[in-house]
Amino acid sequence: MKRHSTKLAVYLLSLFLACGSAVATDVEFYSLSSTVTDSSKIQMTEDLFFTQLLSLHQYKIVDKRPTGYLGTPANASQDTMVFYGELQENGSSWTCTLHLEQPHLNKKAQVTGTYDSYFKLLSEAKSSISQLFANLEAPTTATTTSYKQKDSAGAPTFDSLSGTWIGEASINKIVLLRGGRGFVIFNNGASMNISVEIQGHTIICTQTAKSNASFFPELPREVALVAAMNAQPITWTMTLSNNGTMTGTKRSLLAVVDSGTAVGAEMGTTEVTWIRQQ
């Protein structure tokens, strides 16, 4: 019995050491090249791709931004991967090409997607990355996949929506609760209670807190103070994609500009994207 116990202990120890010696492959993440003039959209796209890569726990993601990929990975390891891409706006449509390479192994893959809106591009981030890694593992040394946007996910539930979301420049986070409630935390420290309603595939989040100027940080303070007194509740109308991203519109106060100066505010609609925080 003692001999068997010793053999078992040696076996388990060797197994532990073998597992402990496994090192995750580096994936170097380089900035997107783009002719898009809206730098905030480039930043949001890069941040979303980076977040999705971080969810691939079998890899070690190395952030190389704002550097563009110049053809040589920083890590000299043979299995090091590099991730980079191009983002283009063509009128109302968007094209994004993602590249994944292992230069020392002469392996390359890419996927190209064309979308009828910027927010459709964001909603397909997870699936395009999954396809990219699958392509690299294909038996050929260079693989290209082209695809079009996919349909949205099934009908959402309060359970599937619950959690913390990010995505708007003036908002630190949005927290959705299972009971059809939630709250929004702005970067300026303000907090807004919201209700959450599900109508088929549509998610409607509506301000329930009393309006105040802090809910409209995009407006000049003096304009927001006056406009908030009679403002209608802020409303988000969203749909949930199959990768944990919500896209849709936000109805809120927008500045009325005269000769380059904000002279008032009125209700208007803007496109928004919420991304589930990992």
Side-chain angles (χ1 to χ4, degrees), residues 226-252:
V226 174
M229 292 190 292
N230 298 304
Q232 299 175 26
I234 299 173
T235 302
W236 292 264
T237 303
M238 317 280 279
T239 55
L240 178 67
S241 70
N242 56 9
N243 67 344
T245 301
M246 282 196 281
T247 59
T249 59
K250 175 183 180 180
R251 182 166 174 77
S252 180

Short mmCIF file of all heavy atoms in Angstrom, two decimals, residues 226-252:
data_model
loop_
_atom_site.label_atom_id
_atom_site.label_comp_id
_atom_site.label_asym_id
_atom_site.label_seq_id
_atom_site.Cartn_x
_atom_site.Cartn_y
_atom_site.Cartn_z
N VAL A 226 -31.21 75.11 -16.94
CA VAL A 226 -32.54 75.57 -17.36
C VAL A 226 -33.33 74.43 -18.00
O VAL A 226 -34.50 74.19 -17.66
CB VAL A 226 -32.42 76.76 -18.34
CG1 VAL A 226 -33.79 77.16 -18.87
CG2 VAL A 226 -31.74 77.93 -17.66
N ALA A 227 -32.70 73.69 -18.90
CA ALA A 227 -33.39 72.65 -19.66
C ALA A 227 -33.85 71.50 -18.76
O ALA A 227 -34.89 70.89 -19.01
CB ALA A 227 -32.49 72.12 -20.77
N ALA A 228 -33.08 71.19 -17.72
CA ALA A 228 -33.41 70.05 -16.85
C ALA A 228 -34.70 70.25 -16.08
O ALA A 228 -35.35 69.27 -15.68
CB ALA A 228 -32.26 69.79 -15.88
N MET A 229 -35.11 71.48 -15.89
CA MET A 229 -36.30 71.75 -15.07
C MET A 229 -37.57 71.16 -15.70
O MET A 229 -38.50 70.74 -14.99
CB MET A 229 -36.46 73.25 -14.85
CG MET A 229 -35.38 73.87 -13.97
SD MET A 229 -35.72 75.59 -13.50
CE MET A 229 -35.57 76.41 -15.10
N ASN A 230 -37.63 71.10 -17.03
CA ASN A 230 -38.82 70.59 -17.70
C ASN A 230 -38.48 69.45 -18.67
O ASN A 230 -39.26 69.17 -19.59
CB ASN A 230 -39.52 71.72 -18.48
CG ASN A 230 -40.00 72.83 -17.56
OD1 ASN A 230 -40.76 72.59 -16.62
ND2 ASN A 230 -39.55 74.05 -17.83
N ALA A 231 -37.36 68.80 -18.45
CA ALA A 231 -36.91 67.77 -19.38
C ALA A 231 -37.76 66.50 -19.27
O ALA A 231 -38.14 66.08 -18.18
CB ALA A 231 -35.45 67.42 -19.12
N GLN A 232 -38.03 65.89 -20.41
CA GLN A 232 -38.67 64.58 -20.44
C GLN A 232 -37.66 63.53 -19.98
O GLN A 232 -36.44 63.73 -20.08
CB GLN A 232 -39.16 64.27 -21.84
CG GLN A 232 -40.19 65.23 -22.40
CD GLN A 232 -40.54 64.92 -23.84
OE1 GLN A 232 -40.42 63.78 -24.29
NE2 GLN A 232 -40.94 65.95 -24.58
N PRO A 233 -38.13 62.39 -19.48
CA PRO A 233 -37.20 61.35 -19.04
C PRO A 233 -36.31 60.87 -20.19
O PRO A 233 -36.77 60.74 -21.33
CB PRO A 233 -38.13 60.22 -18.56
CG PRO A 233 -39.41 60.90 -18.23
CD PRO A 233 -39.54 62.04 -19.21
N ILE A 234 -35.07 60.60 -19.88
CA ILE A 234 -34.15 60.01 -20.86
C ILE A 234 -34.59 58.56 -21.09
O ILE A 234 -34.92 57.84 -20.15
CB ILE A 234 -32.70 60.04 -20.34
CG1 ILE A 234 -32.26 61.49 -20.12
CG2 ILE A 234 -31.76 59.34 -21.31
CD1 ILE A 234 -30.91 61.61 -19.44
N THR A 235 -34.58 58.14 -22.36
CA THR A 235 -35.02 56.79 -22.71
C THR A 235 -34.03 56.14 -23.67
O THR A 235 -33.60 56.77 -24.64
CB THR A 235 -36.41 56.82 -23.36
OG1 THR A 235 -37.34 57.44 -22.49
CG2 THR A 235 -36.90 55.41 -23.68
N TRP A 236 -33.67 54.91 -23.37
CA TRP A 236 -32.84 54.11 -24.27
C TRP A 236 -33.71 53.00 -24.86
O TRP A 236 -34.40 52.29 -24.12
CB TRP A 236 -31.67 53.47 -23.54
CG TRP A 236 -30.61 54.41 -23.05
CD1 TRP A 236 -29.45 54.74 -23.67
CD2 TRP A 236 -30.60 55.11 -21.79
NE1 TRP A 236 -28.72 55.61 -22.89
CE2 TRP A 236 -29.40 55.85 -21.73
CE3 TRP A 236 -31.48 55.18 -20.71
CZ2 TRP A 236 -29.05 56.65 -20.64
CZ3 TRP A 236 -31.15 55.97 -19.62
CH2 TRP A 236 -29.95 56.70 -19.60
N THR A 237 -33.67 52.83 -26.17
CA THR A 237 -34.38 51.74 -26.85
C THR A 237 -33.34 50.88 -27.54
O THR A 237 -32.68 51.33 -28.49
CB THR A 237 -35.39 52.29 -27.87
OG1 THR A 237 -36.31 53.18 -27.19
CG2 THR A 237 -36.18 51.15 -28.49
N MET A 238 -33.16 49.63 -27.05
CA MET A 238 -32.01 48.83 -27.45
C MET A 238 -32.43 47.43 -27.89
O MET A 238 -33.53 46.96 -27.59
CB MET A 238 -31.04 48.69 -26.26
CG MET A 238 -30.80 49.97 -25.47
SD MET A 238 -29.62 51.05 -26.25
CE MET A 238 -28.09 50.26 -25.70
N THR A 239 -31.51 46.75 -28.57
CA THR A 239 -31.65 45.33 -28.84
C THR A 239 -30.36 44.63 -28.42
O THR A 239 -29.27 45.22 -28.49
CB THR A 239 -31.91 45.04 -30.34
OG1 THR A 239 -30.87 45.63 -31.12
CG2 THR A 239 -33.26 45.59 -30.77
N LEU A 240 -30.49 43.39 -27.98
CA LEU A 240 -29.35 42.61 -27.49
C LEU A 240 -28.83 41.72 -28.59
O LEU A 240 -29.59 40.94 -29.18
CB LEU A 240 -29.78 41.77 -26.29
CG LEU A 240 -28.73 40.86 -25.65
CD1 LEU A 240 -27.63 41.68 -24.99
CD2 LEU A 240 -29.38 39.93 -24.63
N SER A 241 -27.53 41.82 -28.88
CA SER A 241 -26.94 40.95 -29.89
C SER A 241 -26.49 39.65 -29.23
O SER A 241 -26.55 39.50 -28.01
CB SER A 241 -25.74 41.65 -30.55
OG SER A 241 -24.67 41.75 -29.65
N ASN A 242 -26.00 38.73 -30.06
CA ASN A 242 -25.66 37.42 -29.53
C ASN A 242 -24.29 37.37 -28.87
O ASN A 242 -23.82 36.30 -28.53
CB ASN A 242 -25.72 36.37 -30.65
CG ASN A 242 -24.84 36.73 -31.83
OD1 ASN A 242 -24.05 37.67 -31.77
ND2 ASN A 242 -24.96 35.98 -32.91
N ASN A 243 -23.64 38.50 -28.68
CA ASN A 243 -22.34 38.48 -28.01
C ASN A 243 -22.30 39.40 -26.79
O ASN A 243 -21.24 39.81 -26.35
CB ASN A 243 -21.24 38.90 -29.00
CG ASN A 243 -21.36 40.36 -29.42
OD1 ASN A 243 -22.41 40.97 -29.21
ND2 ASN A 243 -20.31 40.91 -29.97
N GLY A 244 -23.49 39.71 -26.23
CA GLY A 244 -23.51 40.53 -25.03
C GLY A 244 -23.30 42.00 -25.27
O GLY A 244 -22.77 42.70 -24.41
N THR A 245 -23.71 42.50 -26.43
CA THR A 245 -23.65 43.92 -26.74
C THR A 245 -25.06 44.41 -27.04
O THR A 245 -25.82 43.75 -27.73
CB THR A 245 -22.75 44.17 -27.96
OG1 THR A 245 -21.44 43.69 -27.69
CG2 THR A 245 -22.68 45.65 -28.29
N MET A 246 -25.43 45.57 -26.50
CA MET A 246 -26.71 46.18 -26.81
C MET A 246 -26.48 47.41 -27.68
O MET A 246 -25.60 48.22 -27.40
CB MET A 246 -27.45 46.58 -25.54
CG MET A 246 -28.12 45.41 -24.84
SD MET A 246 -29.36 45.94 -23.62
CE MET A 246 -28.30 46.38 -22.24
N THR A 247 -27.26 47.52 -28.73
CA THR A 247 -27.18 48.69 -29.61
C THR A 247 -28.58 49.27 -29.79
O THR A 247 -29.57 48.56 -29.71
CB THR A 247 -26.60 48.32 -30.98
OG1 THR A 247 -27.42 47.32 -31.59
CG2 THR A 247 -25.18 47.79 -30.86
N GLY A 248 -28.63 50.56 -30.05
CA GLY A 248 -29.92 51.20 -30.25
C GLY A 248 -29.80 52.71 -30.21
O GLY A 248 -28.79 53.28 -30.63
N THR A 249 -30.84 53.35 -29.67
CA THR A 249 -30.88 54.81 -29.64
C THR A 249 -31.14 55.32 -28.23
O THR A 249 -31.75 54.65 -27.41
CB THR A 249 -31.97 55.34 -30.59
OG1 THR A 249 -33.25 54.81 -30.18
CG2 THR A 249 -31.69 54.95 -32.02
N LYS A 250 -30.69 56.53 -28.00
CA LYS A 250 -30.92 57.22 -26.74
C LYS A 250 -31.65 58.53 -27.05
O LYS A 250 -31.21 59.31 -27.89
CB LYS A 250 -29.57 57.53 -26.06
CG LYS A 250 -29.68 58.37 -24.79
CD LYS A 250 -28.28 58.68 -24.25
CE LYS A 250 -28.32 59.50 -22.98
NZ LYS A 250 -26.95 59.78 -22.47
N ARG A 251 -32.77 58.73 -26.36
CA ARG A 251 -33.53 59.97 -26.53
C ARG A 251 -33.29 60.84 -25.30
O ARG A 251 -33.64 60.49 -24.18
CB ARG A 251 -35.01 59.69 -26.71
CG ARG A 251 -35.86 60.93 -26.95
CD ARG A 251 -37.25 60.61 -27.46
NE ARG A 251 -38.09 61.81 -27.54
CZ ARG A 251 -38.01 62.72 -28.49
NH1 ARG A 251 -37.13 62.57 -29.47
NH2 ARG A 251 -38.81 63.78 -28.49
N SER A 252 -32.65 61.99 -25.53
CA SER A 252 -32.26 62.86 -24.43
C SER A 252 -32.18 64.29 -24.94
O SER A 252 -32.48 64.57 -26.11
CB SER A 252 -30.91 62.41 -23.85
OG SER A 252 -30.50 63.22 -22.78
#
